[in-house]
Amino acid sequence: MAKQLLWRIGVAAIGLVAAVAVGWRLSPTITVLVIVCAWLPLGVWCLFAPRIPAALPIALALLVAIATIWWTLPGRPGDRTVTIAWSTLMWYSLPGGLALLAATWRPRWLGDRTGADPAGPPARPVWRRVTATLVAAGVLVSGCGLPGLFWGAVGVPSSDELFPLPPGMDATSATGPDGANGCDQTGHACWTYYRITGATGESTAVLTERLRRHLQEAKGWGGPESCRPVRRFTRPTATDLCITVTSDPAGTVDRPTIGVELSRSNIGPPTVS
């Protein structure tokens, strides 16, 4: 009993730490999605899995799956936007949810003979099966059903594709060259615009260079003016995510100001930069 409890608590705890680690480098919002889509199936499995030889190997496989998020969402532009990340993370709900349903209602598929022998241990109570089924169904629906509502949606790019900024830079949301932040009438192009102000006495060229280094080193952009195709499992899609740095008339003599627009569209073919 002690060994059973130890691996259940230990694997679930390690999985939670791993989920936070792979998600937090992207954004707090994506961390929540990683926990719901990737760790919750593992946590539920550790709680409800029957005493079968395959219980621990399946738990370890779900734990390894969490680590693969470093590969499926490596931190490219777009990985921090909810509608993009969720379309990848939703697949992580499938293995744990299906394994839980199989172990609950078809235990012999996984080698569980509990209740098969009249002289052996009694079968698991019906309430436990019902509870496990409801939890598994919730995991599958939240992981796979809800993202389907947003499949193909463009959506406004996440501010996490730009923030947090390095010290000495301030940002305010503003109306850019394409108009107020939001989407066009077709819904195939969306954007958000920020006014970036540098340090006192800094030149516009220096501010732009500092922003360029930040975009390349911290956010994975190719430069201050570039487009990247949104990727799902490393494969490019028809949606582009772009960043454009422009001059901004709101600058002052003491503090330089530049404009940054993040935009997403699926009007044309993917653009690689």
Side-chain angles (χ1 to χ4, degrees):
M1 179 65 71
K3 291 183 178 179
Q4 283 283 334
L5 186 61
L6 183 62
W7 79 256
R8 291 172 187 270
I9 296 176
V11 173
I14 294 173
L16 182 58
V17 172
V20 173
V22 301
W24 194 259
R25 79 192 203 284
L26 298 175
S27 74
T29 303
I30 302 304
T31 303
V32 174
L33 287 181
V34 173
I35 292 175
V36 171
C37 295
W39 177 82
L40 187 57
L42 170 62
V44 173
W45 174 260
C46 290
L47 180 64
F48 287 102
R51 298 178 185 177
I52 56 177
L56 180 56
I58 289 177
L60 294 177
L62 295 176
L63 178 60
V64 171
I66 295 176
T68 64
I69 299 175
W70 285 96
W71 172 68
T72 57
L73 294 174
R76 295 189 186 94
D79 290 347
R80 300 170 180 84
T81 297
V82 172
T83 54
I84 297 174
W86 206 349
S87 65
T88 295
L89 290 171
M90 69 180 189
W91 298 106
Y92 287 85
S93 302
L94 283 174
L98 295 178
L100 184 61
L101 289 176
T104 302
W105 294 102
R106 292 292 184 269
R108 293 186 182 181
W109 290 356
L110 298 177
D112 181 15
R113 300 186 180 278
T114 300
D117 184 358
R124 290 185 301 279
V126 174
W127 70 265
R128 187 171 181 179
R129 292 189 175 195
V130 173
T131 302
T133 300
L134 292 176
V135 173
V139 168
L140 292 173
V141 170
S142 64
C144 300
L146 294 181
L149 298 176
F150 307 103
W151 189 267
V154 175
V156 177
S158 171
S159 60
D160 293 309
E161 304 290 354
L162 175 63
F163 298 106
L165 292 172
M169 292 187 191
D170 298 321
T172 56
S173 180
T175 299
D178 292 325
N181 296 337
C183 303
D184 63 6
Q185 293 181 347
T186 67
H188 291 289
C190 301
W191 59 86
T192 182
Y193 182 85
Y194 298 96
R195 182 173 292 124
I196 311 296
T197 304
T200 302
E202 187 176 42
S203 67
T204 301
V206 172
L207 174 61
T208 304
E209 174 61 21
R210 288 206 298 136
L211 181 64
R212 182 193 66 80
R213 291 198 303 267
H214 165 70
L215 293 174
Q216 290 181 332
E217 298 171 5
K219 302 300 180 180
W221 288 98
E225 295 186 22
S226 61
C227 291
R228 291 283 185 89
V230 172
R231 294 176 178 269
R232 290 192 179 98
F233 290 101
T234 74
R235 296 180 62 84
T237 67
T239 299
D240 278 1
L241 178 66
C242 300
I243 189 166
T244 305
V245 178
T246 62
S247 59
D248 192 285
T252 64
V253 176
D254 296 331
R255 302 187 65 185
T257 301
I258 55 179
V260 176
E261 183 180 81
L262 292 166
S263 61
R264 290 178 62 196
S265 69
N266 56 10
I267 298 176
T271 300
V272 179
S273 63

